[in-house]
Amino acid sequence: MTAERARITVFDTTLRDGEQSPGCSMNQQEKLRLAHQLDRLGVDVIEAGFPIASDGDFESVRAIASVVRRPIIAGLARACRPDIERAWEALQHAAHPRIHVFLATSDIHLQYKLRITRDQCVAQASDAIRFAKSLCEDVEFSPEDATRTDPDYLCRVLEAVVAAGATTLNIPDTVGYTVPAEFGDLITTIRRRVKGIENVTVSAHCHNDLGMAVANALAAVAAGARQVECTINGIGERAGNASLEEIVMAMRVRPDRFAYETGVVGDQIFASSQMLSEITGVPVQPNKAITGRNAFAHEAGIHQDGVLKNPLTYEIMTPQSVGVPDSKLVLGKHSGRHALGIRCEQLGYQFDRRALDDIYRRFVRLADKIKHVEDHHLLELIRDTHKPSGSATPLIEKIVPTQAAVVNAPTATPEPAAEPAKPFPVGPQTNAFGVPLPVHGESHHEQTQQEDYLWGV
Ligand code: KIV
Ligand code: ZN
């Protein structure tokens, strides 16, 4: 008998915290398109924006709230009346609205940013939650910079907001400072000490400044958090947020360690990642786990040979399980004869052993020079190696092109797009299949003043 697996609420903040990444701002139409995709992806909560930040953000939240009906739609607000009213104005027609109120609680934020005392902070947080609750049943509270807040004081604030009506307590590691064991302990402490905690959902919101956002989020879940806040491709403020796809797939690939389930539809992951990248013009880092174009690519000969014999040798999940159509054998200087032979077959050529050896020798010399041997290089090499005047006259048997051969035909391989002048590109502007992403004009996304507004408080 298998044990019941706890259900984790996936709170996607790509459209809010994610949008705060440099170069990732989106207009209303783009946000709406992505919100529909997040709905198909099966997330439970879409944080659609920060309505008071700008009229554009307000309109986006309102539009999403009125047409995306399955998930909860959340809007962010500082702990003050005008923000909460504006958030509610944008959310009121949602099928499932949520007001998300935040207020910093660490001494460093109280002293230097907010200039209020600890007592004033408790009062402001509970007043804000009480007001939000008078408008909306579903209210989330986030003590910003929680991981640098004195834990005793943090528990005091949390207890006050639970008494005021908060239904979700989100614990943000705002500056990406914590580490998994410490964050797990903090969640345990909160769950033990905060009165009324059993009636609310505890949530984790992790930033990636030390590269531990996903590990921290998973540690929080192991300690009893039942909501994770995350973004597609891990985009977000500075080094980003915990990546949705990494959290979800860690749970799917390692149920022995993470016996939890989510409502995420695995085969929509890749499409969501590609859509975000296409909309923002920010490419996915090639070696990004799950969604990077190399995540399922095998170049070393030993790896290619193994994967061709049985994918389980080097793949812990199938590309199909995250919506990537097929793994891609990258032909480079480390590739072996086996992979080369398969690719030749996919291009419509079958060789006997001697002929393949000839091709292989020339292929290795070429790969040394140009790193990645594309299909058109290979076709040229085949033609060159076996032209009638050549010394070797091996059997070259043309076979009926397979589907893969058609896909890989050189005429179908577009030239990679030129790198546009953007502040944040990390690789060629192509998707996982080498298909160029649209190049946005420089004026396409105007930097809003949202960042100043958000963090200048
Ligand atoms: O990182 C953070 O503290 C936030 C809050 C607004 C939840 O994004
Ligand atoms: Zn954040």
Side-chain angles (χ1 to χ4, degrees):
M1 228 178 57
T2 52
E4 188 77 352
R5 305 204 309 148
R7 173 70 158 76
I8 304 301
T9 297
V10 173
F11 177 118
D12 181 278
T13 184
T14 306
L15 296 172
R16 199 278 299 169
D17 214 332
E19 209 216 3
Q20 290 170 214
S21 321
C24 284
S25 58
M26 295 170 242
N27 64 32
Q28 182 179 330
Q29 198 194 0
E30 292 165 337
K31 284 189 166 186
L32 203 52
R33 201 177 141 215
L34 197 58
H36 281 298
Q37 178 58 31
L38 293 172
D39 187 11
R40 283 191 285 278
L41 180 63
V43 306
D44 302 291
V45 186
I46 295 175
E47 186 163 52
F50 187 10
I52 204 161
S54 68
D55 289 345
D57 227 22
F58 173 85
E59 290 302 340
S60 298
V61 176
R62 188 155 69 168
I64 292 167
S66 57
V67 299
V68 182
R69 309 300 287 173
R70 181 196 54 81
I72 294 171
I73 307 297
L76 187 67
R78 287 170 301 183
C80 59
R81 240 184 137 91
D83 276 44
I84 295 168
E85 278 169 345
R86 191 73 171 146
W88 180 240
E89 212 186 320
L91 291 167
Q92 61 188 325
H93 300 299
H96 310 286
R98 173 180 296 183
I99 300 178
H100 178 190
V101 176
F102 75 101
L103 181 64
T105 50
S106 65
D107 286 335
I108 196 161
H109 279 240
L110 296 188
Q111 201 178 328
Y112 295 104
K113 187 181 84 172
L114 299 174
R115 300 204 165 99
I116 57 173
T117 64
R118 284 185 172 192
D119 288 348
Q120 286 170 324
C121 174
V122 175
Q124 187 177 336
S126 33
D127 286 351
I129 294 301
R130 220 170 286 113
F131 179 56
K133 191 76 177 183
S134 72
L135 303 170
C136 181
E137 186 44 44
D138 188 345
V139 176
E140 172 168 328
F141 176 73
S142 289
E144 193 191 0
D145 205 19
T147 51
R148 293 191 303 167
T149 300
D150 165 23
D152 291 337
Y153 177 64
L154 180 64
C155 289
R156 188 178 147 212
V157 177
L158 295 176
E159 207 161 293
V161 296
V162 170
T167 42
T168 298
L169 293 184
N170 178 47
I171 311 303
D173 181 27
T174 304
V175 290
Y177 175 72
T178 198
V179 298
E182 179 185 65
F183 197 47
D185 287 348
L186 180 63
I187 301 293
T188 303
T189 301
I190 290 167
R191 290 185 65 231
R192 282 209 189 114
R193 293 187 18 200
V194 173
K195 228 183 286 156
I197 195 86
E198 61 286 357
N199 303 318
V200 305
T201 302
V202 177
S203 166
H205 176 111
C206 300
H207 279 270
N208 206 30
D209 299 66
L210 292 174
M212 283 186 270
V214 169
N216 288 337
L218 290 169
V221 168
R226 288 295 172 263
Q227 174 177 286
V228 282
E229 301 200 352
C230 44
T231 59
I232 304 294
N233 295 337
I235 67 166
E237 215 30 71
R238 303 180 311 279
N241 287 65
S243 133
L244 179 147
E245 57 277 6
E246 293 175 25
I247 293 176
V248 168
M249 292 314 290
M251 290 176 183
R252 296 221 167 131
V253 172
R254 297 303 306 270
D256 54 328
R257 290 277 157 180
F258 306 113
Y260 313 102
E261 60 185 43
T262 69
V264 168
V265 179
D267 63 18
Q268 289 295 320
I269 286 177
F270 187 71
S272 307
S273 161
Q274 290 291 299
M275 185 187 288
L276 175 64
S277 182
E278 182 214 313
I279 287 174
T280 58
V282 176
V284 184
Q285 166 194 339
N287 62 328
K288 165 80 179 62
I290 320 291
T291 53
R293 79 181 131 85
N294 292 348
F296 296 96
H298 306 278
E299 182 177 323
I302 294 169
H303 290 214
Q304 291 179 335
D305 183 52
V307 167
L308 290 167
K309 286 171 175 156
N310 185 340
L312 286 177
T313 51
Y314 288 101
E315 283 182 357
I316 58 169
M317 64 195 118
T318 64
Q320 291 80 3
S321 68
V322 296
V324 175
D326 203 353
S327 57
K328 201 167 181 282
L329 292 180
V330 176
L331 291 180
K333 65 177 179 183
H334 304 296
S335 302
R337 276 176 186 73
H338 188 174
L340 180 68
I342 296 267
R343 179 55 60 84
C344 289
E345 276 187 27
Q346 288 173 340
L347 292 172
Y349 293 90
Q350 202 168 38
F351 298 107
D352 66 10
R353 176 78 204 195
R354 249 190 66 215
L356 187 61
D357 282 348
D358 279 347
I359 304 267
Y360 184 68
R361 270 193 293 277
R362 300 187 63 176
F363 158 81
V364 170
R365 280 202 296 274
L366 181 64
D368 240 331
K369 280 193 215 135
I370 66 167
K371 279 199 185 147
H372 287 139
V373 179
E374 305 282 353
D375 293 343
H376 62 276
H377 298 128
L378 195 53
L379 285 165
E380 213 173 288
L381 199 141
I382 292 168
R383 280 195 292 271
D384 206 43
T385 309
H386 299 298
K387 58 181 179 246
S389 58
S391 54
T393 49
L395 169 71
I396 306 172
E397 191 188 331
K398 185 91 173 76
I399 59 169
V400 181
T402 60
Q403 185 62 25
V406 174
V407 169
N408 288 327
T411 49
T413 309
E415 290 297 312
E419 189 95 24
K422 280 198 172 277
F424 186 48
V426 289
Q429 301 269 346
T430 56
N431 73 11
F433 307 106
V435 175
L437 292 169
V439 179
H440 294 292
E442 277 181 65
S443 61
H444 182 68
H445 291 113
E446 294 191 344
Q447 256 335 100
T448 65
Q449 294 183 341
Q450 188 179 19
E451 283 147 8
D452 290 342
Y453 187 86
L454 251 175
W455 307 115
V457 290

